[in-house]
């Protein structure tokens, strides 16, 4: 029976695990190398994106994840930003229409509240978009969070239930006794617990190799972001551009899929795949993105050509933002596995992995709840068959494009 845990990593997954485990009565220590929300959880534009989640575990946990976020707003001791105005993928070419129609039809069959909306409806929801936008897939289930505020609220909730959080303390080694992991080594000394939960996101592959000599196939995908100054409201739902369809298997498997039609001249010219997006936070700032690449290590630096790709794409599709002042730019690195489902399971006695969340906004908080249930031997809210440690996963190849 698990009585005490150490959580390594203070992102959505780690802080949610700490909160739910502490609430359930476990003795919890969370250790974060920098500060909570230093990783992807503090750097993403907050899309709680059900629109393109694959049927099965991904969609199940994401639907429950939205409900959990709503519940956490009542339960956590400090507030966080959450709103559910839906999400859309707009399109601007007639050659994209058939694919969008097929996509909406498919997702409605998967149970999502989805419509194909016309120019007028798109412009009403997102006035900042170009006037010649043709339409969009719109999903009412999508929601938006300001992720650093969610992490901070989960951390505060964990502490309120007795968890200890150590920041600016890297874990350098996992300590073993025979086959079992029994604790962690840090510059401030060793910590021991019944179970160590590794929630190190995109750092996992290198961390596990260095700390234990174990190969854990979790890759790294870098996305770059710009934030404008605070502006009057002009982006309602979370908004993706047409290029984004390329990164989703659900689109690529449609009968009319045509990659050329969803590849922009800017992508061809600059050599970046774009996850074209815009999201406006409650305070008015608009987050804009995102070129994608696959670094060999967690590289949190934005690049000149990446930021150039955002500027050109956004100026093309959101002409009213072309002269908006930019307040900040940054990059974040997402973890992923070859089947796009994280590993959430015991890897050996005393070692629990909770890593590889490529869509952690919708699945991360819920993962923490399920990890606590698994540690306590309770029935889980979501079937966790797909997240098993012993399933076959492909090795990570830096630079190789992946689709979700
Ligand atoms: C630009 C961008 C856009 C995104 N868009 C979406 C989206 O639309 N929808 C969605 O659902 N998700 C999105 N994501 C992904 C989402 O952010 C991640 O899935 C989620 O944040 C992963 O959470 P995590 O807790 O696993 O990892 P992280 O938040 O990265 O947390 C891992 C933590 O572990 C810490 N750590 C690492 N090594 C050590 C060590 N040795 N010792 C101690 N601590 C350590 C790190 O400092 C870090 O804080 C996006 C991410 C980015 C960057």
């Amino acid at each position: 029976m698990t009585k005490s845990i150490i959580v390594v990593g203070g992102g959505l997954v780690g802080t949610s695990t700490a909160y739910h485990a502490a609430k359930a009565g476990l003795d919890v220590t969370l250790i974060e190398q920098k500060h909570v929300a230093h990783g992807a959880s503090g750097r993403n534009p907050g899309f709680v994106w059900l629109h393109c989640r694959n049927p099965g575990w991904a969609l199940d946990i994401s639907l429950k994840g939205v409900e959990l976020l709503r519940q956490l707003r009542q339960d956590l001791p400090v507030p966080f930003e959450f709103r559910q105005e839906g999400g859309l993928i707009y399109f601007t070419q007639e050659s994209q229409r058939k694919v969008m129609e097929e996509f909406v039809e498919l997702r409605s069959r998967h149970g999502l509240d989805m419509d194909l909306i016309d120019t007028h409806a798109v412009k009403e929801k997102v006035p900042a978009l170009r006037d010649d936008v043709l339409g969009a897939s719109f999903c009412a289930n999508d929601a938006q969070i300001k992720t650093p505020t969610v992490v901070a609220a989960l951390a505060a909730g964990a502490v309120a239930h007795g968890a200890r959080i150590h920041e600016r303390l890297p874990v350098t080694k996992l300590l073993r006794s025979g086959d079992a992991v029994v604790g962690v080594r840090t510059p401030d000394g060793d910590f021991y617990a019944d179970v160590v939960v590794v929630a190190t996101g995109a750092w996992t592959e290198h961390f596990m190799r260095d700390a234990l000599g174990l190969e854990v196939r979790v890759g790294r995908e870098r996305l770059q972001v710009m934030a404008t100054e605070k502006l009057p409201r002009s982006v309602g739902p979370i908004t993706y551009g047409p290029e984004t369809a390329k990164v989703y298997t659900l689109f690529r498997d449609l009968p009319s899929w045509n990659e050329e039609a969803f590849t922009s001249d800017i992508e061809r010219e600059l050599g970046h795949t774009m996850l074209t997006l815009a999201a406006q936070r409650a305070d008015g700032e608009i987050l804009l993105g995102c070129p994608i690449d696959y670094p060999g290590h967690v590289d949190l630096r934005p690049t000149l050509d990446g930021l150039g790709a955002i500027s050109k794409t956004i100026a093309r599709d959101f002409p009213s933002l072309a002269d908006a002042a930019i307040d900040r730019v940054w990059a974040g690195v997402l973890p992923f596995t070859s089947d796009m489902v994280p590993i959430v399971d015991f890897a050996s006695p005393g070692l629990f992995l909770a890593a590889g969340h490529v869509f952690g906004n919708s699945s991360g908080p819920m993962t923490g709840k399920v990890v606590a249930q698994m540690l306590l031997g309770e029935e889980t809210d979501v079937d966790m068959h797909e997240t098993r440690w012993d399933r076959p996963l492909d090795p990570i190849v830096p630079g190789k494009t992946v689709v979700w």
Side-chain angles (χ1 to χ4, degrees):
M1 181 72 175
T2 305
K3 292 206 173 66
S4 59
I5 64 168
I6 294 164
V7 181
V8 187
L12 281 165
V13 176
T15 54
S16 179
T17 300
Y19 166 68
H20 285 98
K23 191 174 168 213
L26 297 185
D27 180 82
V28 177
T29 304
L30 185 148
I31 303 178
E32 161 58 46
Q33 62 179 352
K34 301 280 187 190
H35 54 83
V36 296
H38 165 68
S41 304
R43 296 164 182 271
N44 85 61
F47 284 47
V48 183
W49 187 249
L50 278 67
H51 219 110
C52 300
R53 292 284 81 91
N54 294 322
W57 183 86
L59 188 55
D60 289 350
I61 197 158
S62 297
L63 285 164
K64 292 206 167 75
V66 177
E67 291 319 309
L68 179 64
L69 285 167
R70 213 187 292 285
Q71 181 63 42
L72 289 171
R73 293 220 321 154
Q74 315 297 320
D75 296 349
L76 294 176
V78 294
F80 63 84
E81 197 174 314
F82 168 91
R83 76 173 196 268
Q84 191 167 25
E85 284 182 37
L88 60 81
I89 306 177
Y90 61 87
F91 62 99
T92 57
Q93 313 286 331
E94 276 306 333
S95 58
Q96 297 160 342
R97 185 181 294 277
K98 183 92 179 95
V99 169
M100 298 305 292
E101 285 170 357
E102 287 175 358
F103 178 70
V104 168
E105 206 266 318
L106 176 74
R107 297 309 276 160
S108 302
R109 271 194 278 123
H110 289 158
L112 289 173
D113 185 355
M114 189 86 121
D115 282 309
L116 193 73
I117 59 173
D118 63 12
T119 303
H120 177 71
V122 181
K123 286 286 293 179
E124 219 170 53
K125 291 180 188 301
V126 187
L129 262 176
R130 56 199 270 183
D131 291 337
D132 64 350
V133 63
L134 291 177
S137 58
F138 176 74
C139 177
N141 307 88
D142 294 335
Q144 185 177 351
I145 50 177
K146 185 170 179 177
T147 46
T149 66
V150 181
V151 176
L154 285 164
V159 170
H161 285 288
R164 295 168 295 279
I165 297 186
H166 300 269
E167 293 180 292
R168 290 167 192 82
L169 191 61
V171 170
T172 54
K173 195 169 167 32
L174 295 177
L175 305 172
R176 274 203 246 229
S177 173
D179 280 351
V181 168
V182 294
V184 302
R185 177 149 298 162
T186 77
D188 283 359
D190 296 346
F191 294 73
Y192 293 90
D194 296 334
V195 177
V196 175
V197 179
V198 173
T200 46
W203 283 265
T204 301
E205 188 184 36
H206 293 284
F207 171 66
M208 288 305 297
R209 196 175 288 154
D210 298 345
L212 198 66
L214 183 69
E215 188 186 357
V216 179
R217 294 178 168 178
V218 172
R220 294 152 296 276
E221 180 162 1
R222 177 169 61 174
L223 299 180
Q224 303 182 37
V225 185
M226 284 182 176
T228 68
E229 63 178 341
K230 299 177 172 83
L231 294 169
R233 187 139 297 274
S234 65
V235 182
I238 45 177
T239 297
Y240 266 153
E243 296 88 355
T244 300
K246 282 197 297 301
V247 307
Y248 291 104
T249 312
L250 281 170
F251 271 101
R252 302 179 74 91
D253 287 348
L254 291 170
S256 300
W257 174 247
N258 170 359
E259 179 136 0
E260 276 297 289
F262 287 85
T263 304
S264 75
D265 290 343
I266 297 168
E267 290 180 308
R268 286 190 197 95
E269 182 197 333
L270 296 178
H272 274 290
T273 299
M274 285 296 293
L275 197 72
T276 304
L277 65 82
Q280 190 161 24
R281 285 176 166 168
D283 66 3
E285 72 177 358
I286 302 180
L287 307 187
L288 304 168
C290 295
I292 306 175
D293 66 354
Y294 304 90
H297 285 79
V298 176
D299 186 342
L300 296 172
R301 297 169 302 174
T303 63
L304 202 54
D305 65 340
L307 298 173
I310 302 176
S311 306
K312 284 194 169 185
T313 308
I314 296 299
R316 180 199 67 191
D317 285 355
F318 298 79
S320 60
L321 298 181
D323 61 356
I326 296 302
D327 188 58
R328 299 175 326 279
V329 298
W330 66 85
V333 181
L334 292 71
F336 67 88
T337 61
S338 59
D339 63 11
M340 294 297 148
V341 170
I343 302 161
V344 184
D345 197 2
F346 275 99
S348 66
L351 174 63
F352 195 101
L353 298 176
H357 293 72
V358 75
F359 49 94
N361 293 346
S362 57
S363 63
M366 195 61 207
T367 292
K369 184 174 183 198
V370 171
V371 172
Q373 291 169 332
M374 291 171 86
L375 293 174
L376 290 162
E378 294 172 357
E379 194 182 333
T380 53
D381 285 3
V382 182
D383 180 348
M384 298 301 282
H385 190 74
E386 287 186 43
T387 68
R388 284 182 348 263
W389 159 246
D390 65 1
R391 71 192 196 269
L393 290 170
D394 297 338
I396 301 305
V397 182
K400 183 173 172 234
T401 302
V402 299
V403 294
W404 300 342

